Amino acid sequence: MLNFCLSMIETEEEKDKFEELYNKYKGIVHYIALDYMSKEGLVEDAAQETFIKLIRYLDKIQNIDDHKTFSFVKIVTKSVC
């Protein structure tokens, strides 16, 4: 999934930022999706769709470790689910 998402991003700087975001929040996204859905296949689809949506907002994310970013990732994940 990471490689697919990275292929959608143009600059190396944005790719690095997205990879950091992905590595930081992939577990949380998976956990939230699992809480909403019972089938693993649906969880994986929701996680992928969440990260694809996050690519659109990458320029608005200033700090990966910020509480605002954490909250935003949670909101997007719940919305996808």
Side-chain angles (χ1 to χ4, degrees):
M1 174 177 28
L2 177 60
N3 288 331
F4 174 74
C5 290
L6 288 175
S7 71
M8 299 173 69
I9 302 172
E10 294 179 14
T11 68
E12 287 301 317
E13 182 180 315
E14 288 178 330
K15 286 181 181 187
D16 291 343
K17 186 176 186 180
F18 180 80
E19 191 168 358
E20 184 181 351
L21 180 79
Y22 177 83
N23 288 328
K24 173 107 177 141
Y25 294 108
K26 66 183 174 185
I28 293 164
V29 168
H30 187 271
Y31 178 79
I32 292 169
L34 191 58
D35 193 41
Y36 276 77
M37 304 170 172
S38 58
K39 295 185 180 180
E40 187 63 32
L42 295 175
V43 170
E44 291 299 320
D45 289 346
Q48 182 172 343
E49 184 63 29
T50 297
F51 282 108
I52 289 171
K53 286 186 182 282
L54 288 171
I55 289 171
R56 297 180 197 154
Y57 298 101
L58 203 53
D59 61 327
K60 298 193 182 341
I61 297 172
Q62 300 300 318
N63 184 353
I64 302 295
D65 296 320
D66 190 41
H67 181 69
K68 290 179 184 180
T69 303
F70 175 73
S71 296
F72 183 64
V73 170
K74 286 184 358 182
I75 290 167
V76 171
T77 306
K78 290 176 182 180
S79 174
V80 167
C81 292

